[in-house]
């Protein structure tokens, strides 16, 4: 089964926000994204994520876009019990 690592993205966003002592409003000001979107991503309550949002997050985490997509967005093989239909 295939799965995306958006759970890892959620954890890394939270770690980044807390380590810099940013509020969601601070991140919204930095990235240009809505603070509700940032909150939803950090809480792993995601719907559709646009490419522009992913690029803003890559910039926030100071990652190359290609590395960001490979780490968080690309489908990876996992044992069947770990994958979900939502990720396919």
């Amino acid at each position: 089964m295939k799965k995306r690592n958006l759970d890892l993205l959620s954890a890394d966003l939270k770690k980044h926000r807390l380590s810099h002592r940013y509020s969601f409003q601070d991140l919204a000001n930095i990235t240009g994204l809505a603070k509700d979107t940032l909150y939803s991503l950090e809480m792993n309550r995601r719907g559709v994520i646009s490419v522009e949002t992913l690029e803003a997050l890559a910039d926030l985490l100071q990652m190359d876009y290609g590395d960001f997509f490979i780490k968080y967005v690309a489908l990876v093989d996992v044992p069947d019990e770990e994958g979900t239909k939502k990720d396919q």
Side-chain angles (χ1 to χ4, degrees):
M1 182 173 276
K2 302 276 188 181
K3 183 178 180 181
R4 289 184 171 86
N5 281 328
L6 294 174
D7 298 340
L8 179 59
L9 174 59
S10 173
D12 286 352
L13 282 174
K14 184 174 186 175
K15 188 182 338 177
H16 181 80
R17 184 177 64 80
L18 294 176
S19 70
H20 292 286
R21 297 183 180 166
Y22 290 143
S23 68
F24 287 107
Q25 186 61 53
D26 294 334
L27 287 181
N29 294 339
I30 292 167
T31 61
L33 301 172
K35 66 181 178 181
D36 292 342
T37 298
L38 294 163
Y39 177 81
S40 293
L41 287 167
E42 188 176 301
M43 296 299 131
N44 206 10
R45 296 182 189 143
R46 63 196 183 275
V48 175
I49 304 172
S50 71
V51 172
E52 291 82 9
T53 299
L54 293 171
E55 289 174 348
L57 295 174
D59 290 340
L60 176 69
L61 297 174
Q62 299 176 344
M63 294 180 72
D64 175 70
Y65 297 145
D67 294 339
F68 181 88
F69 280 89
I70 290 169
K71 184 173 183 179
Y72 299 116
V73 182
L75 289 170
V76 294
D77 288 319
V78 294
D80 286 344
E81 63 273 3
E82 289 184 35
T84 63
K85 290 187 177 198
K86 186 176 185 177
D87 289 322
Q88 294 186 14

